[in-house]
Each structure stands twice: as C-alpha cells, then as structure tokens.
Amino acid sequence: MTRNPIAHHIKGIGPALNAMQTLGFSPEQCFAGSGLEPETLSAPGQQITLLQQEQFYRHLLQLSGNPLLGLELGRAYRLEHYGMFGYAMLSTNNLRECAELGSRFSALAFSLFRIRFIEQEGWARLQFHPLHPIAPDLLAFHCDRDLMACWQGVSTALGKTIPLHSISLMHDQHSARKTYEQRFGCPVGFDAPWAELCFESSLLDTPMPCPDPETSQYFLTQCQRMIAQLSRQSPFIDRVRQTLMETPGHFPDIEVVAQRLNTSVRTLRRRLAEQETSFRRLLDEIRYQLARDYLKGGLRVAEVAALLDYSETANFTHAFKRWSNTTPSDFQHKNTQPTADQAPPP
C-alpha cells in the first residue's frame, strides 16, 4: 500500500524559530533554503512533511554551526505548545497520569519517536523509539531536542526541575559527554537502541499544578478524535476520514460523504479500492480506535456504543468482537495498551 511521509502541524516549528531568534538568527535566515515560507506558519491546518522537516532542521544545523543545537531548541518547548494534547497533560492529577497520557497519545507530539512509559523496580522510564528510520545526520538533533523538550516541558509545568537518574541517547556524541551531563545533570549513555529518560518513580506522585478532571476529560476526548483522524495513507483517504469525523457521535453514510467530497459514490468506492481499502474498513478503523480509547477511559460499554453511533449495544459488542476477538467488557477489564496503531482485521 502506498503511504505518504509522516507529517506534523506546522506550528511544531514555532518554538524552534523562537529559540533560533534568541541565538541571533532571524526567521528569514531560518527559512532560507528550507523550502518553507514564513506565511505558512499562520496557515490553518498547514502541515510540514517529513522531507520538509529534514530540510528545515538540516538548514538550521548548518546555519548555527552547532552540532548540539537540539539541546538548545528542545529547551524552548512547553506543554501548551502541543495544543489539545498539551492541555490534556497539564490538566491531569499528577506526573504519573501526565506520563501515561503522553505515552498514549505521543503520535500527537511533533516528534519522530513513539514515547513509551514504563514504571518498574522503583524507576520511571520514558523511552523514545523511532517511528521509522531517521536520517543519520539528524539522529543526534532529534534525540537531543525531544529528550530536552520532554524534560524541560514537564519541569516547567511543575515549576521545579525533575532530577534525572540517567539518560540514554541513540547517537555517538561521546566527545560532548561533559556537556550532556551538565545539561541534564546526570550520567549519560550513548549508542543505545532507543533514547530514554530515567528518574525515581516516587516522583510520579508529584501533583500537576492545575488538575481539573472535567477539563482533562474534554481534552482527552479531543485527543481521541485527533488520533482517529491520523492517517499515513493518501490525502484522499485523509479527506474521507475527516469527513467521517466531522459530526461527533454520528457517522455519515457513503452517499453523504461522496456528496461532501463533490464526487460520486462509484468514484469514491473506486478511489478507495485503488488504495486497497474501502469505506466500511475506514469506518471500522475509526470506530475501533475510538472504542479502545473510550473503554480504557472507563466509559461503560453502553455509553461507548452510543458515542460510536450504534443503535443497540449488542451490535457494538458484536462488531468489537469481530475486530479484536474479544468482548468490550473483557478488553476493558484487561485494559491492554496497544504497542502500535492497530487496525481491525479485514
């Protein structure tokens, strides 16, 4: 199946631009030769592709002449820069809930890594696993930026620095070991299979400054919707997904979707078939993803069925069992966390 490169919202480069300005570089200098234009920052819904990100950050590295630029830019990121995702983390009760939510919805971060949160034997670990191969000349930059952004972003939100036990990096900048140890205040390992922040698990009980269960639930729902809309397929499939998600709690039929996309049902079916999918499969994928998130969030099965536009709870239960080979109740009881963006079997 043909898939497009990963894309992030253009606002993800905003903090990096601000940091570059503090280092003495103008936005015009930063955009020169990057293939991007300053006006794209204010364009609603504008995305930056993986290729554009590579060009942009490679240009910043050349412009600055600083191989440790990732550490500088990472300090500029705050949780609120991540929109709904960031506000959802800010409104959790404590650092543990914040880390769990950050791991669960890490696809909404401006990152090329999937974040995995692990708590065991008195230690809390935030692991950064590449979503795909990262260009060798940009690996150090992305590792440095994302670990620093995570650590500094949460520390800033808490109003105090989280003391780290150790960090691991995927690159081989051994010659800069002292700089890394000074910046992170802990021992540093290199050439690791994944990047990692490690600290004492007792810190996970640290309360977040603005806990608000009602607000947190609202932002959580918005994150679930955004995750359901994510697609690494064609722009046309993205448009179909977005159209299906326009009315929360109700999914339009194929005739309505075709009309909104200014095409015929026949053409819609044909174009989806060319991408080796179908209208039914896309709808199942969205419902399945939302169902898992709602069930993990503690909603009752009947409530989930209603949110997913099923007239009968039994119909939802039958569909969920078809997708996952288990019932919604059993799934919720086990509270399993998928390790990848799964889709229901064909």
Side-chain angles (χ1 to χ4, degrees):
M1 182 181 296
T2 302
R3 296 185 183 273
N4 285 343
I6 292 174
H8 295 135
H9 196 286
I10 193 68
K11 66 183 180 182
I13 69 173
L17 280 174
N18 292 336
M20 290 297 291
Q21 284 185 271
T22 64
L23 295 175
F25 300 98
S26 68
E28 289 73 23
Q29 288 177 295
C30 294
F31 278 114
S34 70
L36 298 171
E37 300 293 338
E39 54 267 23
T40 59
L41 282 175
S42 58
Q46 181 69 39
Q47 290 189 320
I48 177 172
T49 67
L50 176 59
L51 178 60
Q52 289 173 321
Q53 291 181 68
E54 289 180 345
Q55 293 174 334
F56 178 73
Y57 290 120
R58 190 173 284 122
H59 174 66
L60 295 190
L61 283 167
Q62 294 172 347
L63 183 64
S64 69
N66 180 7
L68 304 184
L69 182 64
L71 296 178
E72 299 295 335
L73 301 194
R75 295 170 59 189
Y77 286 81
R78 302 291 180 266
L79 294 187
E80 50 267 34
H81 287 145
Y82 298 92
M84 292 288 184
F85 176 48
Y87 289 120
M89 288 188 286
L90 284 167
S91 59
T92 55
N93 289 313
N94 52 45
L95 182 55
R96 178 180 285 98
E97 291 184 9
C98 180
E100 289 173 345
L101 192 146
S103 171
R104 181 175 171 189
F105 295 106
S106 62
L108 298 177
F110 314 124
S111 176
L112 302 184
F113 298 92
R114 169 178 290 281
I115 301 174
R116 185 183 180 194
F117 168 55
I118 299 174
E119 181 182 0
Q120 59 182 177
E121 299 180 351
W123 300 107
R125 302 177 186 276
L126 288 172
Q127 298 179 346
F128 294 70
H129 297 261
L131 287 165
H132 59 86
I134 298 175
D137 62 325
L138 292 174
L139 179 60
F141 170 83
H142 283 292
C143 278
D144 295 354
R145 185 199 65 171
D146 288 13
L147 262 66
M148 181 62 75
C150 179
W151 181 50
Q152 286 289 297
V154 175
S155 292
T156 300
L158 291 173
K160 60 181 181 181
T161 300
I162 300 172
L164 298 173
H165 172 265
S166 63
I167 71 166
S168 299
L169 299 166
M170 296 180 66
H171 54 78
D172 58 358
Q173 298 272 33
H174 299 271
S175 60
R177 179 183 297 275
K178 288 186 178 180
T179 300
Y180 283 101
E181 291 180 344
Q182 290 172 353
R183 294 294 182 89
F184 288 98
C186 67
V188 179
F190 298 90
D191 298 311
W194 57 74
E196 180 180 281
L197 297 169
C198 178
F199 54 93
E200 292 183 2
S201 59
S202 59
L203 295 169
L204 293 170
D205 295 322
T206 304
M208 295 298 287
C210 303
D212 187 332
E214 185 175 342
T215 300
S216 181
Q217 183 58 48
Y218 168 76
F219 287 129
L220 179 63
T221 301
Q222 299 306 310
C223 288
Q224 291 166 346
R225 289 189 60 205
M226 289 187 288
I227 284 289
Q229 292 180 42
L230 287 179
S231 169
R232 299 191 184 107
Q233 297 171 307
S234 73
F236 180 74
I237 288 181
D238 286 336
R239 291 173 61 200
V240 175
R241 287 177 176 272
Q242 291 166 7
T243 303
L244 282 167
M245 293 296 297
E246 283 177 354
T247 309
H250 172 71
F251 300 100
D253 57 28
I254 191 169
E255 288 78 10
V256 172
V257 172
Q259 183 179 26
R260 292 178 182 174
L261 295 180
N262 296 315
T263 189
S264 66
V265 172
R266 181 178 180 181
T267 299
L268 174 58
R269 293 187 188 279
R270 176 179 57 79
R271 295 190 65 178
L272 292 177
E274 289 173 353
Q275 295 293 324
E276 299 180 18
T277 190
S278 66
F279 183 83
R280 172 64 181 275
R281 181 165 179 77
L282 289 180
L283 180 56
D284 279 355
E285 288 176 358
I286 291 172
R287 278 175 155 167
Y288 184 41
Q289 179 66 65
L290 286 174
R292 288 182 295 169
D293 290 335
Y294 287 144
L295 290 168
K296 291 175 189 174
L299 294 181
R300 292 182 294 114
V301 174
E303 293 174 326
V304 176
L307 285 171
L308 298 183
D309 202 20
Y310 283 95
S311 58
E312 299 290 340
T313 302
N315 293 339
F316 164 63
T317 299
H318 177 76
F320 192 89
K321 192 170 183 179
R322 173 168 54 86
W323 298 330
S324 63
N325 293 320
T326 189
T327 66
S329 297
D330 286 344
F331 175 87
Q332 188 171 55
H333 178 70
K334 294 177 182 177
N335 194 27
T336 54
Q337 176 70 37
T339 57
D341 291 332
Q342 301 172 350

